[in-house]
Amino acid sequence: MEQLGVELAEEGFRDEEEDAARAMEREEAGAAVGSWGAREPEEPGRLPWFHDQVVPAGSSSSRVIVHVDLDCFYAQVEMISNPELKGKPLGVQQKYLVVTCNYEARELGVKKLMNVRDAKEKCPQLVLVNGEDLTRYREMSYKVTELLEEFSPLVERLGFDENFVDLTEMVEKRLQQLHSDELSALTVSGHVYNNQSINLHDTLHLRLLVGSQIAAEMREAMYNQLGLTGCAGVASNKLLAKLVSGVFKPNQQTVLLPESSQDLIQNLNHIKEMPGIGYKTTRRLEALGVSSVRDLQTFPSKTLEKELGISVAQRIQKLSFGEDNSPVTPSGLPQSFSEEDSCKKCSSEVEAKNKIEELLASLLNRVCQDGRKPHTVRLIIRRYSSEKHCGRESRQCPIPSHIIHKLGTENERHLYGGFFQRQRDRLGFPTNWKN
C-alpha cells in the first residue's frame, strides 16, 4: 500500500487540499455583462475621457485578476518559527523527499521533490526540518487568505500557497477617484512582461497598472503583518495571471498587457505546463499528436470535440489562446477535512489500522477546532505502483448521528474505537476491530 487517507466532509464539495490543481479545471462560467445606470455628475478635475471609454466591469477583458504565489512557503513558515534558520540552506522533509527548500538551498543545487539522500550529496550543509505535520502551514495559509480578503471579497484559494484575487471592483473605484493631474504620475509596480510600454490612454492598460499598485500593497501587507514574501501576476484572467506570476521570482511581480498574452502562451514548452490541462487530458492530446500550444490552437475543433467531448475540447482550446472566463470564486470555509500519508511499508491489517488511527486523531482534532459537525467519512487507499499516476480506491458512508453528537467530547478514545468498528463493518473488513 502506498497511501492512506481519511476524510470527514460536510455535504457539499471537496477538500481544497485534495487536489488544488482541479480548481483551474472547473467549467468556464460566462461573465455577466454589467449594467450601467445613471451616473452622478463628474467632479471637477476627474477624468471624463476615462468614463467615456470604460468597459463594463463584467466584461472578461476588463477584469483585473491577481495571482499571489508565496515563495517556498513551507520553508518560510519554518524560518519565521525559528529565525536562526534564516540565511542557511533549508529543506522541508516529508518522508524521503525534500518537498520544498529555500532559495539559499536552491542556489546550491537542491530542488523541490528531490530525494533527501541526493539533496544531502548536493548540499552537505543542508538543514532539514520535518514538515509532515501541516498544522502550522495550514494556519498561516488561512492568515494569508484573510489578509487578502481585506483588499477584495473575491479571493479563491489554490492549495496552501496560492490565491487568486479579483481586484476589478477596487480598481474601478480608484479610477473613479483619479484626477487628471494625477495621471502623469501613475507608474507600474514591478515588471511588465516583455518590457511592453504602457499607454495611459488605453483603458485596459490603465486598469492593469492600477491593479499592479494594489498587488504591491497586498505583498507589502503580507510581509509587514505575516513576514511572508511572494510573487504576483496581474492580468485580465486567472489563467494569464497564474502564468505570468512565475516569470520573475522570488518576491517580485509582473503585469501582463493584452498585446503580450499570446507571446506568454506560446513560450510554454509543452501543453502539460498549461494550467487547467491535467495529466490524463495531456496523455490523450499527445496520442492525437498534440504536444505544443500551437498544435492545440490549430488542431481541428470537430476532431477534438469527438475525442474529448464538446465541453472539454472547447474549454482547453480557448485556454490555448489565453481565454479564461472562469470567475474568482471565494473559497469560504472548507467543506471537508482530510489527512493522508504515504506508507509503502504498510502491508498488514494491523499496520493499516494503526495508520488510520493516527490519521483520524489529527483529523478529529481539526474538526473539533472548526466546531462544525461532519456528515460523511471516506477512506481512500492508493496501492503501491511504479506508475507515477495511479487510481485510488475509496469507500464512504454517513456518520451515525450519535457519533456526530459525541464529537468534541472528552471521551475521544472510546469514540475512536466505536467509530472505526462501525466503519469497518460498513466498508466490509472481515474481522473485529478491538478498541
Side-chain angles (χ1 to χ4, degrees):
M1 185 183 301
E2 182 178 31
Q3 199 165 53
L4 257 174
V6 182
E7 178 178 86
L8 296 176
E10 294 280 329
E11 294 177 345
F13 61 72
R14 286 190 310 269
D15 182 10
E16 65 177 17
E17 300 158 32
E18 181 183 324
D19 190 356
R22 294 181 190 171
M24 286 293 287
E25 295 188 32
R26 282 197 285 265
E27 288 296 319
E28 290 185 4
V33 177
S35 174
W36 294 89
R39 274 198 209 102
E40 296 181 3
E42 302 286 353
E43 293 183 23
R46 292 290 169 87
L47 299 177
W49 62 267
F50 169 76
H51 299 304
D52 289 342
Q53 297 181 30
V54 83
V55 182
S59 171
S60 60
S61 63
S62 73
R63 293 194 300 165
V64 179
I65 309 298
V66 177
H67 176 253
V68 179
D69 187 0
L70 297 170
D71 299 323
C72 50
F73 177 53
Y74 288 8
Q76 280 204 82
V77 173
E78 296 296 342
M79 289 186 287
I80 291 170
S81 299
N82 182 5
E84 292 183 1
L85 295 173
K86 291 182 178 179
K88 299 178 180 179
L90 173 67
V92 178
Q93 179 178 352
Q94 291 179 358
K95 302 301 182 184
Y96 56 90
L97 292 177
V98 177
V99 292
T100 192
C101 55
N102 63 6
Y103 282 89
E104 288 83 354
R106 296 181 193 190
E107 290 173 0
L108 296 172
V110 182
K111 299 178 181 179
K112 290 191 295 183
L113 301 181
M114 181 179 273
N115 185 286
V116 168
R117 182 175 58 253
D118 296 338
K120 275 291 191 179
E121 288 179 1
K122 279 277 186 183
C123 179
Q125 66 269 44
L126 181 68
V127 178
L128 290 171
V129 295
N130 189 305
E132 293 183 10
D133 183 355
L134 302 180
T135 302
R136 286 182 298 119
Y137 310 139
R138 185 181 296 111
E139 290 173 351
M140 183 65 83
S141 173
Y142 276 103
K143 287 180 181 179
V144 172
T145 302
E146 289 170 4
L147 186 152
L148 296 176
E149 287 171 342
E150 295 176 8
F151 291 84
S152 169
L154 299 178
V155 180
E156 180 179 342
R157 292 168 58 81
L158 193 65
F160 278 177
D161 59 349
E162 299 179 56
N163 288 269
F164 287 110
V165 187
D166 189 333
L167 293 179
T168 307
E169 190 171 319
M170 189 173 186
V171 166
E172 174 68 15
K173 288 178 180 178
R174 290 203 181 182
L175 287 172
Q176 296 285 348
Q177 298 166 359
L178 194 64
H179 288 73
S180 55
D181 57 355
E182 297 171 320
L183 179 62
S184 60
L186 283 178
T187 57
V188 68
S189 292
H191 304 273
V192 179
Y193 184 78
N194 268 355
N195 291 318
Q196 184 182 337
S197 298
I198 290 182
N199 179 4
L200 293 178
H201 293 280
D202 186 313
T203 303
L204 299 181
H205 284 210
L206 194 57
R207 286 177 178 278
L208 293 167
L209 186 155
V210 174
S212 77
Q213 296 178 335
I214 300 171
E217 294 169 15
M218 292 192 300
R219 291 174 52 243
E220 183 179 15
M222 285 195 314
Y223 183 73
N224 291 338
Q225 297 181 36
L226 302 175
L228 293 169
T229 65
C231 297
V234 185
S236 59
N237 64 46
K238 290 163 63 176
L239 168 70
L240 297 175
K242 182 172 173 63
L243 287 174
V244 83
S245 67
V247 173
F248 291 97
K249 287 189 172 186
N251 195 26
Q252 300 181 69
Q253 65 179 59
T254 312
V255 179
L256 178 70
L257 301 179
E259 296 83 357
S260 296
S261 61
Q262 278 305 300
D263 184 72
L264 176 67
I265 291 285
Q266 294 287 352
N267 276 338
L268 297 179
N269 295 317
H270 196 280
I271 52 171
K272 65 183 178 184
E273 298 176 6
M274 177 82 70
I277 299 182
Y279 173 78
K280 291 182 179 179
T281 303
T282 297
R283 292 288 296 270
R284 294 176 71 180
L285 289 171
E286 288 175 334
L288 295 172
V290 176
S291 60
S292 70
V293 172
R294 182 64 179 166
D295 291 339
L296 183 53
Q297 289 178 339
T298 58
F299 197 83
S301 300
K302 294 299 181 183
T303 306
L304 198 63
E305 291 173 4
K306 182 179 179 181
E307 294 292 334
L308 302 179
I310 294 175
S311 177
V312 172
Q314 291 181 352
R315 179 179 64 82
I316 65 173
Q317 206 151 40
K318 284 182 178 180
L319 290 177
S320 73
F321 287 99
E323 300 175 22
D324 175 20
N325 293 328
S326 61
V328 174
T329 306
S331 302
L333 291 172
Q335 297 303 300
S336 66
F337 292 112
S338 66
E339 294 282 346
E340 63 179 46
D341 199 2
S342 58
C343 40
K344 288 183 179 179
K345 296 180 180 179
C346 184
S347 57
S348 70
E349 185 176 325
V350 172
E351 290 173 322
K353 171 196 136 180
N354 292 336
K355 175 56 68 174
I356 293 173
E357 286 182 335
E358 177 187 320
L359 293 172
L360 186 70
S362 174
L363 189 60
L364 286 182
N365 181 53
R366 290 171 60 195
V367 170
C368 291
Q369 288 178 352
D370 178 80
R372 292 173 294 165
K373 304 303 180 186
H375 297 282
T376 306
V377 62
R378 180 184 300 129
L379 179 65
I380 305 155
I381 296 173
R382 189 173 72 193
R383 301 186 186 279
Y384 177 73
S385 171
S386 57
E387 290 281 331
K388 183 178 180 181
H389 295 267
C390 56
R392 297 183 176 193
E393 298 178 41
S394 66
R395 298 289 186 275
Q396 71 177 50
C397 66
I399 301 175
S401 57
H402 65 284
I403 295 292
I404 296 175
H405 182 71
K406 288 181 180 179
L407 279 173
T409 67
E410 295 181 357
N411 195 20
E412 287 183 346
R413 184 179 181 279
H414 173 73
L415 172 61
Y416 294 167
F419 179 86
F420 270 109
Q421 183 60 59
R422 289 172 176 80
Q423 301 322 309
R424 287 171 58 78
D425 292 341
R426 288 177 180 270
L427 298 174
F429 288 103
T431 57
N432 290 330
W433 188 330
K434 296 181 180 178
N435 188 11

